[in-house]
């Protein structure tokens, strides 16, 4: 499982209700259901992933986050999770608002575009970074709203979003020490536990 | 065409009949002193009767959902695409029950049956029915077959609406509910189309106020028009364009020609209409369309579908089709939203398909994939 998901798991209380936005094939929800006995629902738009999630025995709803989440009631989930999708939605700030309305707590993870490799790539080559981790070219990428750790925290401040905890994932080879010390420069993935 | 070698069909099947001399009190308050249901089964019921699946048919459907009645049958049952060995409803695992609804004209008690009180055919005097009457009669059939609870109740269109009613009327007898191309209730537009169909039938001079059989008449023209209207609403604009376009069956539109012209779509519709008028009873069609119009899942729950679904304990799979305008995806999303708000277990897929409402009868790959994936879960549970 992706490293950010392993980190998130500890923040989810056993037996709680979890809404997973852009849940993919449901690997994370399945693990939460098996290990933490959560009652989970996943939203997804990719046809293959939806079938895979349903085949795992999960509750998967085909729903596009860009069309809103107004079918979910206020405070109807303990935790709303969105892993690696913030950068792919049309209005990230509005999705965050909706997540915080629906869930008492939220967990968001995103790739940190301020990481030194991105800066170096853009700075030295003058072109949008393409890597194994972010393999798309600028014109066909689903990732339309890249941000940095600092960008995200400033958005939280503007919208009075409370950051309960944060965790940073760095490249596998340095144990994440640098990522935790200087996240905006060294974290590849940022993980935030937030609430209203 | 039937072939003994076909491995993915249930093969030859024989309809069965169950008599219920105890009768049934209907939602309208009237009582059927006795009734019969004709049904088919596919697959084997297991020892603890935990693998039974009920298939509910749509407006003009019947008990013959899969397989063939004899070697010379040209066409299999109406849901051959989804029922059979290795199919979404896998008869290697499930015991499938499919019946002709009460009020039908394919063998179950309906307008063509004799009213024991009068000794005459019911005809137009057959009591009005609600979906819950079907559900209650199906529960009696389940008792008869030794099925305490269904692994799944499954239906498309009107059949999906029955499946939801099952989940509310008998929450402890339905473990999974599969609702395909259905709605919580009909829209004004849906009712309007049904009314055109009924008007076509009742205004046919051969209808005789529903007593056409006493006059040795059949309101064929009315039934055919009713079917044509219905059929158009089951297809999408694109599906009709693909299939017929503006192709001509005869004549030509060249200037200087006064030859009569017939479009392919005209000929197709007339064929559909006339075939239907030979095989379907007019009073049943009126009865069934009314039951569809009157259906409103939440009426008895303060018009609140969330309160209605609070009664259910089944898990749900809801599916819709992108070009279905008769029961559009937004109608299915209303079902899903109510289930979510009621805190129920639900999955939903909106299938891209060009075929309109009829898509639920067709082997569309993604539809079959999602359906099969969910039925794996039903098996596992």
């Amino acid at each position: 499982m992706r490293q950010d998901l392993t980190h998130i798991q500890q923040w989810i209380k056993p037996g709680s209700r979890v809404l997973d936005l852009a849940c993919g094939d449901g690997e994370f929800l399945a693990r939460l259901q098996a290990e933490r006995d959560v009652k989970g629902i996943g939203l997804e738009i990719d046809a293959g992933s939806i079938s895979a999630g349903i085949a795992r025995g999960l509750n998967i709803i085909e729903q596009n986050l860009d069309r809103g989440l107004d079918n979910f009631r206020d405070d109807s989930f303990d935790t709303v999770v969105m892993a690696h999708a913030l950068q792919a939605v049309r209005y990230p700030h509005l999705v965050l608002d909706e997540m915080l309305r629906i869930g008492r707590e939220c967990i968001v993870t995103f790739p940190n575009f301020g990481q030194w490799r991105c800066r170096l790539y853009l700075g030295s080559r003058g072109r949008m970074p393409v890597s194994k981790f972010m393999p798309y070219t600028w014109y066909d990428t689903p990732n339309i709203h890249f941000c940095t750790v600092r960008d995200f925290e400033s958005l939280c401040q503007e919208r009075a979003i409370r950051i309960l905890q944060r965790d940073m994932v760095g490249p596998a080879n340095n144990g994440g020490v640098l990522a935790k010390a200087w996240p905006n420069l060294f974290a590849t993935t940022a993980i935030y536990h937030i609430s209203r | 065409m039937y072939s003994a070698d076909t491995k993915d069909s249930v093969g030859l099947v024989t309809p069965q009949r169950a008599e219920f001399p105890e009768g049934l009190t209907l939602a309208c308050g009237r009582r059927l002193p006795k009734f019969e249901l004709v049904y088919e089964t596919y697959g084997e019921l297991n020892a603890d009767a935990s693998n039974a699946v009920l298939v509910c048919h749509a407006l003009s459907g019947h008990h013959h959902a899969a397989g063939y009645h004899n070697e010379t049958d040209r066409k299999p049952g109406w849901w051959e695409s989804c029922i059979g060995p290795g199919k979404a409803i896998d008869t290697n695992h499930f015991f499938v029950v499919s019946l002709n609804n009460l009020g039908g004209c394919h063998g179950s008690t309906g307008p063509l049956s004799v009213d024991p009180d009068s000794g005459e055919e019911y005809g137009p005097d057959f009591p009005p029915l609600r979906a819950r009457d079907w559900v209650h009669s199906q529960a009696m059939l389940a008792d008869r077959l030794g099925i305490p609870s269904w692994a799944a109740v499954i239906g498309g269109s009107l059949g999906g609406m029955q499946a939801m009613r099952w989940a509310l009327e008998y929450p402890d007898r339905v473990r999974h509910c599969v609702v395909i191309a259905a709605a919580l209730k009909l829209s004004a537009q849906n009712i309007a189309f049904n009314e055109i169909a009924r008007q076509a039938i009742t205004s046919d001079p051969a209808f005789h106020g529903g007593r056409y059989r006493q006059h040795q008449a059949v309101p064929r023209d009315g039934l055919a028009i009713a079917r044509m209207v219905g059929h158009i609403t089951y297809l999408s604009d694109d599906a009709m364009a693909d299939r017929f376009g503006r192709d001509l069956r005869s004549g030509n539109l060249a200037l200087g020609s006064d030859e009569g012209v017939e479009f392919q779509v005209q000929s197709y519709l007339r064929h559909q209409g006339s075939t239907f008028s030979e095989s379907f009873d007019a009073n049943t069609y009126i009865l069934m369309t009314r039951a569809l119009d009157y259906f409103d899942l939440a009426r008895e729950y303060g018009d609140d579908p969330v309160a209605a679904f609070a009664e259910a304990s089944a898990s749900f799979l809801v599916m819709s089709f992108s070009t279905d305008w008769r029961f559009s995806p937004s109608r299915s999303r209303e079902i899903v939203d109510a289930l979510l708000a009621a805190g129920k277990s639900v999955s939903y897929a909106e299938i891209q398909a060009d075929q309109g409402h009829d898509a639920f009868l067709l082997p569309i790959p993604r539809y079959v994939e999602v359906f099969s994936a969910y039925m794996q879960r039903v098996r596992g549970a």
Side-chain angles (χ1 to χ4, degrees), chain B residues 2-3 6-12 66-68 76 80 83-85 87 91:
Chain B
Y2 172 74
S3 151
T6 316
K7 296 212 165 34
D8 63 351
S9 176
V10 296
L12 291 181
Y68 299 81
E80 182 76 2
I83 304 170
K87 293 183 181 172
T91 50

Side-chain angles (χ1 to χ4, degrees), chain B residues 163-230:
Chain B
M164 289 189 284
R165 183 60 76 196
W166 253 103
L168 303 194
E169 293 290 303
Y170 296 99
D172 49 355
R173 298 189 75 171
V174 185
R175 299 200 292 283
H176 291 271
C177 188
V178 179
V179 181
I180 309 164
L184 292 168
K185 57 187 170 191
L186 260 58
S187 68
Q189 190 191 50
N190 288 155
I191 296 171
F193 278 117
N194 283 343
E195 180 59 12
I196 294 174
R198 285 188 294 262
Q199 286 292 329
I201 293 169
T202 56
S203 60
D204 185 327
F207 185 65
H208 295 288
R211 302 191 193 283
Y212 38 89
R213 306 245 308 165
Q214 275 129 295
H215 293 80
Q216 280 82 47
V218 180
R220 281 194 189 85
D221 294 344
L223 263 172
I225 294 171
R227 183 57 172 179
M228 287 189 212
V229 171

Side-chain angles (χ1 to χ4, degrees), chain A residues 31-92:
Chain A
R31 163 114 51 127
L32 283 181
Q33 240 165 253
E35 292 178 9
R36 298 190 99 78
D37 193 32
V38 304
K39 206 174 169 199
I41 291 177
L43 303 194
E44 183 51 59
I45 50 171
D46 177 67
S49 298
I50 291 168
S51 298
I54 290 174
R56 286 180 194 266
L58 300 170
N59 291 320
I60 310 290
I61 308 283
E62 180 163 349
Q63 184 167 340
N64 189 336
L65 304 182
D66 286 337
R67 292 212 202 135
L69 293 165
D70 56 4
N71 53 329
F72 290 94
R73 295 183 169 186
D74 297 2
D75 291 315
S76 50
F77 287 85
D78 297 304
T79 308
V80 181
V81 178
M82 183 165 67
H84 273 270
L86 187 70
Q87 75 284 357
V89 296
R90 183 78 188 84
Y91 299 108

Side-chain angles (χ1 to χ4, degrees), chain B residues 260-274:
Chain B
V261 158
E262 189 185 22
F263 287 95
Q264 285 289 1
V265 67
Q266 288 177 283
S267 141
Y268 171 80
L269 272 185
R270 275 206 295 273
H271 172 73
Q272 288 292 327
S274 76

